[in-house]
Amino acid sequence: MKALEIKGLKKSFRSNFLIKKFNILKGIDLDVEKGEIYGFLGPNGAGKTTTIKCIMGLLSPDSGEVRVDGLPAHAAAARQRIGFLPENPYFYDYLTAREFLLFSASLFNIPEKEMRDKVAALIHRVGLSGHEDLKLRKFSKGMIQRLGLAQALVNDPDLLILDEPFSGLDPVGRKDLRLLILALREQGKTVFFSSHILQDMELMADRVGIILAGTIRRQGKLSELIARSTQYVEVVCDRIAPKELARIHPDHALRDNQSVLTLAGDADVNLVVESIIHSGGRILAVNPVKMTLEDIFFSEMAGGANGVPTSQSNGTGAPPNPSTLGGKP
Amino acid sequence: MKPAIRGIAVNTFRESARNKMFYLLVFFGILFALSSKLVSFLTLGDAMKVLKDTGLAAINFFCVLIAIFTGINLVYKEIEKKTVFNILSKPLSRDEFIAGKFLGLALTMLTALGAMAVIFFAFVAVSGGGFDLGILLYFFMLYLELLVIVAISLLFSSFTTPILSFIFTVSLYLIGQVMWTFNEFKDYLAIPLWRVFTQGLYYLLPNLHKFNIKNEVVMGTAIDPWSVLFSVLYALAYVLALLALTVLIFRRREFQ
């Protein structure tokens, strides 16, 4: 059974006095396995928050199905298993951190007595010890985000849904939150988080779904998405004459007194390597250059599905040139 | 009561109780009630009657003000500041949310009215008036009226802005004070359709005048127990109907 399953989710909004209809979600299909960190990636306005609001029952979908652990997401039993951190959370500023967490616990119908010890442990866990009796109006953005995560954990959820959890955090806060989320996965929790920051995805996500203009454009394991996308292979060698190299492969260049041959991703690398050795050359390295998530993302944004990097990824506006691509060896 | 509803009610009460405006209004309510002594010095006639009359009117005015201001803001603020996202994503229904909000407001009003009432009772006793059971009944009826006002403001705050909620609630409050005239006015209408319309409004809009027994209390005339019982039932039915309408609107509400 999937931790989260979304099928054919559609949502539209009307504006201009009910005249114009905007289709925000155009049929979202995605699934999240238990115990994984799923990164929901998309630019601003792609439909990430709308999808999350449909999961959490804050918006009613036009059509489609959302299931949590096999249960309809709107059912109380499903909600009981979810911890949710909204985007840019704002909590009651007249409450202290402890009061707020006790209040959050009460919404799960957890008796207050039972929660007192848990709340103290949660405050410690998110690094807010010593601030439990401080009013939230005195909290910084980072502290609010930590508290938001604490309230999302108050019911010991199986599934955590975090909407842009890193937004507005400084580097230290980002790292702390990242470590906390990774620790939650170690405990067997499932984490579904949205972000438009690629680095967060690459550092944390087991699987990624890319949403653009209300549709899921790509979904899969991050390692597979990147592995599938070998752009080209660099063969580095020396001790071979340029003429000989030109005979073996026309696309070659000299870099730091070493010859670099650039082969297409699907070229017969073995044949080229054998030819170089046969001609007396020495192989120094064979580097398959894969697309980064950024390349994949921008490729999808440009409407391509074949992994061809766009001007946005090489920053030149020119056709892809292996020497300027920031590929991962 | 479910811990979730109790949690929302307590939090609503806490929000009001930690608001400076709440204390300011309670303070002015008490101040104006006590200043009735001054008015009684300046007026001819029975000083105790004047004291009760102006004191109760002051408490009434400030309690209504508190009911309207807290009622129109609470749900709207939850939506505007997006704290509602956090609440409604938990395993509680929107009906329970509204129920918790209303109970919290009812507790807030009980506290405000209770504080003013205790001080006013002491003040009347010190002024030589003794303990007047009629005043206690007056406060009970005022509390019923406040519950209706709170339910009205909660209804409006669930779908519109505080300014519009304020205008609608105050309008209904003022209409509610003269609602009894509608019943008499209809007899003077020649067109049957207008008569039906006026009669319809009479039953539809809140008849807050039913809860006002100040004249009877101040003058010391008898209060019909059946009329009190009817007012209690009327308040209960009206509040339940308003809450049901609020829930119906709130269930359909989307939070973008």
Side-chain angles (χ1 to χ4, degrees):
Chain A
M1 200 180 294
K2 310 277 185 194
L4 174 67
E5 205 172 2
I6 301 177
K7 281 183 186 164
L9 188 69
K10 288 185 182 175
K11 179 68 191 168
S12 59
F13 294 117
R14 287 187 185 277
S15 68
N16 297 344
F17 297 100
L18 308 176
I19 297 166
K20 201 169 180 183
K21 193 176 172 185
F22 294 96
N23 293 316
I24 306 297
L25 302 181
K26 299 164 185 166
I28 299 287
D29 293 292
L30 66 82
D31 53 76
V32 180
E33 300 289 343
K34 284 186 180 175
E36 73 175 3
I37 297 179
Y38 186 102
F40 196 37
L41 176 66
N44 293 333
K48 300 188 296 291
T49 298
T50 304
T51 305
I52 289 176
K53 283 182 179 174
C54 287
I55 298 170
M56 300 314 303
L58 297 168
L59 291 172
S60 312
D62 296 346
S63 62
E65 195 181 21
V66 182
R67 289 189 166 269
V68 174
D69 245 352
L71 299 163
H74 57 80
R79 297 279 177 79
Q80 197 75 34
R81 300 172 193 201
I82 303 176
F84 173 53
L85 172 66
E87 185 184 11
N88 299 323
Y90 176 88
F91 303 125
Y92 306 100
D93 57 9
Y94 54 88
L95 294 180
T96 65
R98 191 196 308 275
E99 285 171 342
F100 175 66
L101 290 180
L102 286 171
F103 168 63
S104 299
S106 75
L107 299 179
F108 286 97
N109 292 312
I110 303 169
E112 194 172 320
K113 277 182 197 167
E114 204 179 294
M115 275 313 299
R116 289 217 171 262
D117 292 339
K118 280 188 183 176
V119 161
L122 271 176
I123 286 174
H124 176 71
R125 187 171 186 187
V126 297
L128 288 175
S129 296
H131 299 99
E132 46 271 72
D133 295 317
L134 191 69
K135 291 258 169 65
L136 300 191
R137 64 170 63 100
K138 293 181 179 162
F139 270 40
S140 68
K141 166 89 184 163
M143 289 163 82
I144 286 286
Q145 205 77 354
R146 285 164 192 261
L147 185 69
L149 194 66
Q151 66 80 32
L153 294 170
V154 87
N155 56 323
D156 192 21
D158 300 325
L159 170 65
L160 272 154
I161 295 181
L162 315 174
D163 194 2
E164 300 279 2
F166 298 98
S167 118
L169 289 183
D170 62 19
V172 177
R174 294 172 80 85
K175 190 185 172 196
D176 286 351
L177 187 58
R178 211 158 48 222
L179 292 175
L180 205 65
I181 292 172
L182 290 170
L184 288 167
R185 179 182 57 187
E186 294 306 308
Q187 289 176 9
K189 310 278 184 206
T190 309
V191 181
F192 176 92
F193 79 101
S194 75
S195 181
H196 58 272
I197 300 167
L198 293 149
Q199 192 197 10
D200 298 337
M201 296 288 162
E202 289 188 319
L203 288 171
M204 288 170 51
D206 299 308
R207 286 206 308 143
V208 171
I210 299 176
I211 180 172
L212 287 171
T215 53
I216 298 285
R217 299 284 280 271
R218 275 209 198 184
Q219 185 180 213
K221 281 190 175 173
L222 191 56
S223 53
E224 283 174 6
L225 278 180
I226 291 170
R228 264 207 306 263
S229 315
T230 300
Q231 287 180 289
Y232 57 94
V233 179
E234 277 186 351
V235 179
V236 186
C237 60
D238 63 1
R239 297 177 190 171
I240 186 165
K243 264 189 183 177
E244 200 61 29
L245 267 183
R247 188 186 59 78
I248 296 168
H249 191 74
D251 189 357
H252 66 94
L254 201 65
R255 194 194 299 162
D256 298 334
N257 293 324
Q258 295 170 348
S259 300
V260 180
L261 280 76
T262 305
L263 314 179
D266 55 352
D268 191 345
V269 179
N270 288 349
L271 186 68
V272 172
V273 169
E274 277 170 18
S275 303
I276 292 170
I277 294 168
H278 190 72
S279 305
R282 181 175 67 157
I283 300 294
L284 296 172
V286 177
N287 300 328
V289 178
K290 292 169 183 171
M291 289 182 91
T292 61
L293 186 59
E294 185 179 50
D295 293 324
I296 296 169
F297 180 66
F298 282 125
S299 149
E300 290 299 338
M301 278 195 76
N306 54 3
V308 178
T310 64
S311 58
Q312 282 156 300
S313 62
N314 61 23
T316 64
N321 175 355
S323 63
T324 59
L325 291 169
K328 261 189 185 172
Chain B
M1 192 191 297
K2 279 178 81 172
I5 297 178
R6 194 174 58 236
I8 288 174
V10 170
N11 191 45
T12 304
F13 172 70
R14 217 178 244 160
E15 183 172 2
S16 310
R18 291 185 185 176
N19 191 331
K20 284 177 190 145
M21 180 64 99
F22 174 76
Y23 289 104
L24 206 65
L25 289 172
V26 171
F27 170 75
F28 274 105
I30 292 168
L31 191 73
F32 273 75
L34 300 188
S35 66
S36 57
K37 183 81 176 172
L38 196 67
V39 180
S40 69
F41 285 141
L42 303 171
T43 320
L44 290 172
D46 188 339
M48 185 50 65
K49 278 182 186 168
V50 176
L51 187 145
K52 285 180 184 174
D53 194 21
T54 47
L56 293 179
I59 290 174
N60 186 312
F61 176 77
F62 281 96
C63 279
V64 168
L65 221 54
I66 294 171
I68 293 174
F69 276 113
T70 49
I72 61 173
N73 270 316
L74 285 184
V75 173
Y76 180 80
K77 261 166 71 181
E78 293 264 19
I79 297 166
E80 190 63 16
K81 293 193 169 177
K82 299 181 178 176
T83 46
V84 75
F85 290 6
N86 192 44
I87 294 179
L88 296 181
S89 60
K90 306 282 191 283
L92 86 159
S93 67
R94 295 188 181 193
D95 308 13
E96 288 170 331
F97 172 75
I98 294 294
K101 278 276 156 200
F102 177 76
L103 290 174
L105 284 168
L107 189 61
T108 304
M109 292 320 303
L110 190 64
T111 309
L113 181 60
M116 291 188 204
V118 166
I119 290 172
F120 190 70
F121 266 121
F123 183 61
V124 170
V126 167
S127 304
F131 177 74
D132 187 345
L133 199 64
I135 294 180
L136 190 65
L137 189 62
Y138 171 82
F139 285 135
F140 174 69
M141 297 294 273
L142 174 59
Y143 186 61
L144 293 180
E145 182 180 357
L146 293 173
L147 291 183
V148 175
I149 295 168
V150 157
I152 293 170
S153 56
L154 195 63
L155 167 69
F156 290 128
S157 80
S158 69
F159 68 91
T160 187
T161 61
I163 292 172
L164 286 177
S165 294
F166 177 79
I167 293 169
F168 294 151
T169 308
V170 168
S171 305
L172 273 186
Y173 172 73
L174 293 176
I175 291 169
Q177 296 299 328
V178 294
M179 208 60 231
W180 57 277
T181 56
F182 275 56
N183 206 27
E184 294 180 7
F185 180 61
K186 75 172 196 308
D187 298 332
Y188 297 98
L189 295 169
I191 304 167
L193 193 66
W194 279 116
R195 270 208 296 274
V196 172
F197 180 69
T198 312
Q199 187 79 8
L201 283 181
Y202 176 74
Y203 287 116
L204 191 69
L205 298 175
N207 190 349
L208 300 176
H209 186 70
K210 277 185 194 306
F211 305 110
N212 191 350
I213 55 166
K214 185 157 66 74
N215 287 343
E216 290 88 332
V217 169
V218 171
M219 303 308 287
T221 53
I223 298 164
D224 179 13
W226 290 109
S227 159
V228 172
L229 182 67
F230 179 77
S231 299
V232 171
L233 295 175
Y234 178 79
L236 276 174
Y238 211 89
V239 165
L240 285 176
L242 285 168
L243 290 180
L245 194 58
T246 309
V247 161
L248 279 179
I249 292 168
F250 202 65
R251 270 186 201 167
R252 297 173 62 87
R253 177 118 199 202
E254 300 232 87
F255 301 98
Q256 288 187 40

